[in-house]
Amino acid sequence: MTLTQKRVMILLAVILAGAVLGRLAVRAVMNLLLGGTLLGGNFL
């Protein structure tokens, strides 16, 4: 595996991790604003 391939793989892994953590952060903020439960359940 060349250095360029390694860089691309690392970049994809970082992008994927960032997307997952970003979605979790948005869910946590919305959870606080709406007063719901973070891992499922009813909002009201």
Side-chain angles (χ1 to χ4, degrees):
M1 187 179 286
T2 65
L3 186 60
T4 304
Q5 286 175 327
K6 286 183 183 178
R7 284 183 181 174
V8 169
M9 292 299 289
I10 291 171
L11 186 62
L12 287 175
V14 168
I15 290 172
L16 184 64
V20 169
L21 290 177
R23 286 181 56 90
L24 264 176
V26 169
R27 269 188 78 184
V29 170
M30 292 300 288
N31 177 50
L32 288 174
L33 290 176
L34 295 173
T37 59
L38 188 58
L39 300 174
N42 295 325
F43 280 139
L44 298 176

